[in-house]
Amino acid sequence: MTTLGLIGAGHIGSQLARLGVAYGYNVIVSNSRGPETLAELVDELGPSARAATVADAARESDLVVVTLPLKNIGTLPADAFDGKTVMDTNNYYPQRDGQIASLDDETTTVSELLQEQLPGAHVVKAFNNIFASALTADGLPAGNPDRRALAIAGDDADAKAAVTAFIDSIGFDVVDAGPLSEGWRYQKDTPSYGARLTAAELREALASAKRYRDM
Protein backbone atom coordinates (compact mmCIF):
# COMPACT_ATOMS: atom_id res chain seq x y z
CA MET A 1 0.00 0.00 0.00
CA THR A 2 1.11 3.53 -0.75
CA THR A 3 1.84 5.65 2.30
CA LEU A 4 0.69 9.27 2.37
CA GLY A 5 2.52 11.58 4.75
CA LEU A 6 0.97 14.81 5.99
CA ILE A 7 3.26 17.59 7.16
CA GLY A 8 0.67 19.70 8.91
CA ALA A 9 -2.69 18.51 10.16
CA GLY A 10 -4.85 21.61 9.92
CA HIS A 11 -7.88 22.05 7.68
CA ILE A 12 -6.32 20.81 4.42
CA GLY A 13 -4.02 18.24 6.04
CA SER A 14 -6.73 16.57 8.09
CA GLN A 15 -9.07 16.44 5.11
CA LEU A 16 -6.43 14.83 2.91
CA ALA A 17 -5.69 12.36 5.70
CA ARG A 18 -9.38 11.41 5.78
CA LEU A 19 -9.43 10.96 2.01
CA GLY A 20 -6.24 8.93 2.09
CA VAL A 21 -7.71 6.49 4.60
CA ALA A 22 -11.03 6.34 2.75
CA TYR A 23 -9.32 5.44 -0.53
CA GLY A 24 -6.96 2.78 0.76
CA TYR A 25 -3.73 4.59 1.63
CA ASN A 26 -1.69 4.21 4.77
CA VAL A 27 -1.48 7.65 6.37
CA ILE A 28 1.12 9.27 8.62
CA VAL A 29 0.19 12.61 10.14
CA SER A 30 2.58 15.09 11.70
CA ASN A 31 2.71 18.66 12.93
CA SER A 32 5.09 21.06 14.61
CA ARG A 33 3.75 20.28 18.10
CA GLY A 34 4.56 16.57 18.15
CA PRO A 35 2.81 13.24 17.54
CA GLU A 36 1.11 13.18 20.94
CA THR A 37 -1.03 16.18 19.96
CA LEU A 38 -2.56 14.22 17.07
CA ALA A 39 -4.10 11.40 19.09
CA GLU A 40 -7.69 12.54 18.50
CA LEU A 41 -7.22 12.74 14.72
CA VAL A 42 -5.47 9.36 14.58
CA ASP A 43 -8.26 7.77 16.60
CA GLU A 44 -10.77 9.17 14.13
CA LEU A 45 -8.78 7.95 11.13
CA GLY A 46 -8.48 4.39 12.39
CA PRO A 47 -5.90 1.60 12.14
CA SER A 48 -4.37 2.61 8.80
CA ALA A 49 -3.19 5.93 10.26
CA ARG A 50 -0.57 6.90 12.80
CA ALA A 51 1.22 10.01 14.02
CA ALA A 52 4.95 10.69 13.74
CA THR A 53 7.47 13.50 13.81
CA VAL A 54 7.76 15.67 10.72
CA ALA A 55 11.06 14.06 9.75
CA ASP A 56 9.75 10.51 10.16
CA ALA A 57 6.54 11.28 8.29
CA ALA A 58 8.56 12.56 5.36
CA ARG A 59 11.09 9.72 5.34
CA GLU A 60 8.55 6.92 5.73
CA SER A 61 6.01 8.06 3.13
CA ASP A 62 5.79 7.51 -0.62
CA LEU A 63 3.84 10.73 -1.20
CA VAL A 64 4.25 13.72 1.10
CA VAL A 65 1.94 16.71 1.53
CA VAL A 66 3.41 19.91 2.94
CA THR A 67 0.51 21.94 4.26
CA LEU A 68 2.12 24.39 6.66
CA PRO A 69 1.79 28.17 6.69
CA LEU A 70 4.26 29.54 4.17
CA LYS A 71 6.12 31.44 6.89
CA ASN A 72 7.05 28.09 8.52
CA ILE A 73 8.62 26.21 5.61
CA GLY A 74 12.09 27.22 6.78
CA THR A 75 11.66 24.88 9.76
CA LEU A 76 11.41 21.75 7.60
CA PRO A 77 14.26 19.20 7.86
CA ALA A 78 15.25 19.30 4.20
CA ASP A 79 17.23 16.05 4.10
CA ALA A 80 14.19 14.05 5.24
CA PHE A 81 12.48 14.95 1.95
CA ASP A 82 15.29 13.86 -0.38
CA GLY A 83 13.92 11.86 -3.30
CA LYS A 84 10.30 12.37 -2.24
CA THR A 85 7.35 13.55 -4.29
CA VAL A 86 6.03 16.50 -2.30
CA MET A 87 2.64 18.12 -2.80
CA ASP A 88 2.64 21.78 -1.78
CA THR A 89 -0.79 23.12 -0.81
CA ASN A 90 0.37 26.63 0.08
CA ASN A 91 -0.84 30.03 -0.95
CA TYR A 92 0.71 33.35 0.02
CA TYR A 93 -1.24 35.37 2.55
CA PRO A 94 0.83 38.40 3.64
CA GLN A 95 -1.43 39.03 6.63
CA ARG A 96 -0.41 35.57 7.91
CA ASP A 97 3.04 35.08 6.42
CA GLY A 98 4.41 38.63 6.46
CA GLN A 99 5.63 40.35 3.33
CA ILE A 100 7.93 38.24 1.14
CA ALA A 101 9.67 40.47 -1.37
CA SER A 102 10.23 37.84 -4.07
CA LEU A 103 6.52 37.02 -4.06
CA ASP A 104 5.46 40.65 -3.89
CA ASP A 105 7.49 41.48 -7.01
CA GLU A 106 6.55 38.15 -8.63
CA THR A 107 10.11 37.06 -9.35
CA THR A 108 9.24 33.62 -7.96
CA THR A 109 6.22 31.61 -6.83
CA VAL A 110 5.18 29.95 -3.60
CA SER A 111 6.03 26.41 -4.66
CA GLU A 112 9.35 27.47 -6.14
CA LEU A 113 10.23 28.76 -2.67
CA LEU A 114 9.41 25.34 -1.20
CA GLN A 115 11.49 23.65 -3.91
CA GLU A 116 14.43 25.86 -2.91
CA GLN A 117 13.89 24.85 0.72
CA LEU A 118 13.74 21.13 -0.21
CA PRO A 119 16.30 20.83 -3.02
CA GLY A 120 16.34 17.02 -2.98
CA ALA A 121 12.57 16.69 -3.30
CA HIS A 122 10.28 16.85 -6.34
CA VAL A 123 7.72 19.51 -5.50
CA VAL A 124 4.31 19.61 -7.17
CA LYS A 125 1.90 22.46 -6.45
CA ALA A 126 -1.48 20.89 -5.69
CA PHE A 127 -4.72 21.51 -3.77
CA ASN A 128 -4.17 25.27 -3.91
CA ASN A 129 -7.42 26.15 -5.69
CA ILE A 130 -9.88 24.23 -3.50
CA PHE A 131 -11.20 24.94 -0.02
CA ALA A 132 -10.75 22.27 2.64
CA SER A 133 -14.44 21.52 3.05
CA ALA A 134 -14.79 20.76 -0.67
CA LEU A 135 -12.11 18.08 -0.61
CA THR A 136 -14.41 15.55 1.03
CA ALA A 137 -17.60 16.91 -0.56
CA ASP A 138 -16.84 17.35 -4.26
CA GLY A 139 -15.13 14.12 -5.33
CA LEU A 140 -16.81 12.10 -8.08
CA PRO A 141 -15.96 8.89 -9.98
CA ALA A 142 -13.77 9.14 -13.07
CA GLY A 143 -15.77 9.78 -16.22
CA ASN A 144 -18.50 11.83 -14.58
CA PRO A 145 -19.01 14.87 -16.85
CA ASP A 146 -19.44 17.13 -13.82
CA ARG A 147 -16.25 15.95 -12.12
CA ARG A 148 -14.33 18.79 -10.53
CA ALA A 149 -10.78 19.39 -11.73
CA LEU A 150 -7.74 20.51 -9.75
CA ALA A 151 -4.62 22.11 -11.15
CA ILE A 152 -1.05 20.94 -10.61
CA ALA A 153 2.32 22.39 -11.55
CA GLY A 154 5.77 20.87 -11.25
CA ASP A 155 9.16 20.41 -12.85
CA ASP A 156 9.44 16.61 -12.59
CA ALA A 157 7.28 14.49 -14.91
CA ASP A 158 7.32 11.38 -12.72
CA ALA A 159 6.32 13.36 -9.64
CA LYS A 160 3.46 14.98 -11.54
CA ALA A 161 2.29 11.57 -12.72
CA ALA A 162 2.26 10.27 -9.14
CA VAL A 163 0.32 13.29 -7.91
CA THR A 164 -2.12 13.01 -10.81
CA ALA A 165 -2.78 9.37 -9.90
CA PHE A 166 -3.39 10.28 -6.26
CA ILE A 167 -5.76 13.14 -7.07
CA ASP A 168 -7.67 10.96 -9.54
CA SER A 169 -7.97 8.22 -6.93
CA ILE A 170 -9.70 10.56 -4.45
CA GLY A 171 -12.26 11.81 -6.94
CA PHE A 172 -10.92 14.69 -9.04
CA ASP A 173 -9.70 15.29 -12.57
CA VAL A 174 -6.31 16.95 -13.02
CA VAL A 175 -5.17 19.78 -15.29
CA ASP A 176 -1.42 20.24 -15.70
CA ALA A 177 -0.62 23.96 -15.60
CA GLY A 178 3.04 23.39 -16.53
CA PRO A 179 6.24 23.92 -14.52
CA LEU A 180 6.36 25.30 -10.99
CA SER A 181 6.91 28.78 -12.41
CA GLU A 182 3.36 28.66 -13.81
CA GLY A 183 1.81 27.89 -10.41
CA TRP A 184 0.76 31.55 -10.08
CA ARG A 185 -2.05 30.81 -12.54
CA TYR A 186 -4.19 29.31 -9.76
CA GLN A 187 -3.08 31.37 -6.80
CA LYS A 188 -5.30 33.66 -4.75
CA ASP A 189 -7.37 36.17 -6.75
CA THR A 190 -7.14 34.25 -10.05
CA PRO A 191 -10.25 32.92 -11.86
CA SER A 192 -9.76 29.32 -10.71
CA TYR A 193 -9.11 30.08 -7.04
CA GLY A 194 -11.82 28.34 -5.03
CA ALA A 195 -13.99 27.82 -8.09
CA ARG A 196 -15.68 24.50 -8.81
CA LEU A 197 -14.65 23.90 -12.42
CA THR A 198 -14.55 20.94 -14.79
CA ALA A 199 -11.30 20.19 -16.59
CA ALA A 200 -12.33 22.19 -19.67
CA GLU A 201 -13.41 25.14 -17.54
CA LEU A 202 -10.23 25.01 -15.48
CA ARG A 203 -8.06 25.11 -18.60
CA GLU A 204 -9.87 28.27 -19.69
CA ALA A 205 -9.48 29.81 -16.24
CA LEU A 206 -5.75 29.07 -16.13
CA ALA A 207 -5.26 30.55 -19.59
CA SER A 208 -7.08 33.75 -18.61
CA ALA A 209 -5.19 34.31 -15.34
CA LYS A 210 -3.23 37.54 -14.99
CA ARG A 211 -0.23 38.40 -12.88
CA TYR A 212 -0.99 40.74 -10.00
CA ARG A 213 1.00 43.48 -11.68
CA ASP A 214 -1.29 43.27 -14.72
CA MET A 215 -4.57 43.37 -12.80
Side-chain angles (χ1 to χ4, degrees):
M1 292 174 66
T2 300
T3 298
L4 178 71
L6 283 302
I7 312 301
H11 296 302
I12 294 285
S14 60
Q15 287 286 72
L16 289 175
R18 293 181 182 103
L19 286 168
V21 167
Y23 287 93
Y25 294 84
N26 288 321
V27 171
I28 305 175
V29 292
S30 69
N31 64 14
S32 61
R33 295 178 294 133
E36 66 279 359
T37 67
L38 294 165
E40 184 176 347
L41 177 60
V42 170
D43 285 346
E44 175 198 335
L45 294 172
S48 60
R50 62 184 176 90
T53 65
V54 168
D56 285 345
R59 290 192 181 100
E60 296 172 20
S61 297
D62 303 298
L63 294 170
V64 183
V65 181
V66 171
T67 182
L68 301 175
L70 181 61
K71 64 182 179 180
N72 294 338
I73 64 172
T75 67
L76 294 171
D79 61 339
F81 294 81
D82 287 351
K84 300 295 182 177
T85 292
V86 174
M87 291 175 265
D88 176 30
T89 76
N90 239 313
N91 285 294
Y92 173 41
Y93 302 107
Q95 67 272 26
R96 177 196 68 184
D97 302 313
Q99 299 297 142
I100 300 174
S102 60
L103 296 177
D104 291 336
D105 66 17
E106 298 186 283
T107 55
T108 192
T109 63
V110 169
S111 293
E112 286 178 293
L113 287 181
L114 182 62
Q115 183 66 79
E116 291 175 13
Q117 179 65 29
L118 307 177
H122 307 295
V123 173
V124 178
K125 183 180 177 76
F127 302 110
N128 313 81
N129 65 322
I130 185 170
F131 298 119
S133 59
L135 283 166
T136 52
D138 284 0
L140 290 170
N144 189 305
D146 195 40
R147 200 183 202 209
R148 182 171 181 168
L150 302 179
I152 65 168
D155 297 335
D156 184 275
D158 290 340
K160 287 201 285 188
V163 171
T164 295
F166 172 69
I167 294 174
D168 176 69
S169 77
I170 62 172
F172 300 90
D173 285 339
V174 176
V175 173
D176 187 346
L180 284 179
S181 60
E182 291 293 291
W184 65 270
R185 290 187 176 276
Y186 50 106
Q187 65 189 4
K188 183 170 66 73
D189 299 325
T190 58
S192 66
Y193 182 76
R196 192 194 188 291
L197 304 173
T198 64
E201 292 166 339
L202 179 54
R203 290 187 188 96
E204 291 181 5
L206 294 172
S208 68
K210 295 181 179 179
R211 304 304 294 253
Y212 292 141
R213 58 178 175 263
D214 298 325
M215 290 182 178

